[in-house]
Amino acid sequence: MTAQAVTLEDMERDALTELVNIGVSRAAVSLRKMVGQQVLLSVPSLEVVTRSGAITLIREREYGQMVAVRQDFDGAFSGRALLIFPESNSLAMVRAVAGASLTLEEAHAIEDEALAETGNIVLNSCLATMANMLKQPLSMSLPEVIRSNGSLLFEPRMHDTGGGIVLFLYINFAINNHDIRGYISMLMDLPSIQALRQLIAEFIRQVMGEEI
């Protein structure tokens, strides 16, 4: 099976989008506690693409450098998760999280630390919620901040096999009255995406069983 051959059924896509939305809703609660301000997060749509397709999507929608928080995850399904923003929005994100009273110099000084903390909260909430609802343990690496025009963002992990699929999610991010567009991406090899599909299928069966 090639990367291009992997497609999600409508029910699988809906279930996965719902799982991620529950995760980012929990991330919003955590961020709200951290910053003491209203935080709104939602994932309106999800696409399944190849790595080259993900690079194309980013380049079609954004100009210039991107900044991303990257974390690897391992468990029943494994891969690499990223929270991605246009670099032009990164200081707005820092000031929204750390305080609008920061000077530009102060915001630059804590930029990577604040981005890593924000990304860690969002990605951990998202992945941990998915794992919990799918009844699977999951471990995550420490967050790493990277900058790229697109191609380096979707580099696979060295030991991944069987091609690569990117779950590409658009994210609406509003914090302290700042609207900051971004993306959540999960890069997985084919064995991991197949394992995730099986877990989602079991999740759907359980939910449908409860509704009967």
Side-chain angles (χ1 to χ4, degrees):
M1 179 180 291
T2 65
Q4 288 83 353
V6 175
T7 57
L8 294 181
E9 301 293 337
D10 287 345
M11 192 171 287
E12 290 177 319
R13 186 184 300 272
D14 290 345
L16 184 54
T17 303
E18 180 62 21
L19 288 173
V20 174
N21 263 313
I22 293 170
V24 296
S25 294
R26 293 182 180 176
V29 172
S30 298
L31 285 173
R32 192 178 306 137
K33 291 177 181 176
M34 184 175 81
V35 303
Q37 298 286 341
Q38 180 71 8
V39 178
L40 300 173
L41 281 170
S42 66
V43 175
S45 64
L46 174 151
E47 295 187 45
V48 183
V49 295
T50 61
R51 287 199 301 272
S52 60
I55 295 167
T56 298
L57 281 175
I58 284 286
R59 288 179 173 169
E60 285 177 347
R61 289 164 173 78
E62 307 294 344
Y63 296 97
Q65 285 282 96
M66 306 295 291
V67 60
V69 182
R70 182 172 71 187
Q71 290 180 268
D72 291 347
F73 57 92
D74 287 287
F77 56 98
S78 303
R80 174 167 282 171
L82 301 108
L83 178 64
I84 307 169
F85 297 102
E87 191 172 44
S88 57
N89 285 355
S90 64
L91 285 179
M93 168 67 75
V94 171
R95 296 178 86 167
V97 170
S101 61
L102 286 177
T103 66
L104 196 60
E105 207 171 73
E106 290 169 334
H108 270 299
I110 65 166
E111 182 178 3
D112 280 10
E113 181 183 349
L115 290 173
E117 178 69 13
T118 303
N120 189 48
I121 290 172
V122 173
L123 295 176
N124 261 292
S125 294
C126 186
L127 271 297
T129 297
M130 284 178 59
N132 288 338
M133 295 189 74
L134 296 174
K135 300 178 180 178
Q136 298 294 326
L138 200 69
S139 62
M140 295 190 68
S141 68
L142 292 173
E144 176 188 7
V145 176
I146 59 174
R147 288 172 170 80
S148 169
N149 62 358
S151 58
L152 293 178
L153 295 178
F154 303 103
E155 281 189 331
R157 304 193 304 176
M158 289 186 65
H159 54 277
D160 284 351
T161 60
I165 291 296
V166 179
L167 302 180
F168 194 89
L169 305 107
Y170 301 89
I171 183 170
N172 291 332
F173 199 133
I175 179 170
N176 293 0
N177 296 317
H178 294 278
D179 290 316
I180 305 168
R181 72 182 181 276
Y183 311 91
I184 293 175
S185 294
M186 299 176 202
L187 173 62
M188 289 182 274
D189 62 12
L190 293 181
S192 281
I193 197 73
Q194 290 301 95
L196 178 59
R197 290 184 72 179
Q198 290 174 6
L199 291 169
I200 290 172
E202 179 59 29
F203 173 76
I204 292 171
R205 282 195 293 271
Q206 290 177 358
V207 170
M208 296 297 286
E210 290 172 0
E211 292 179 350
I212 295 173

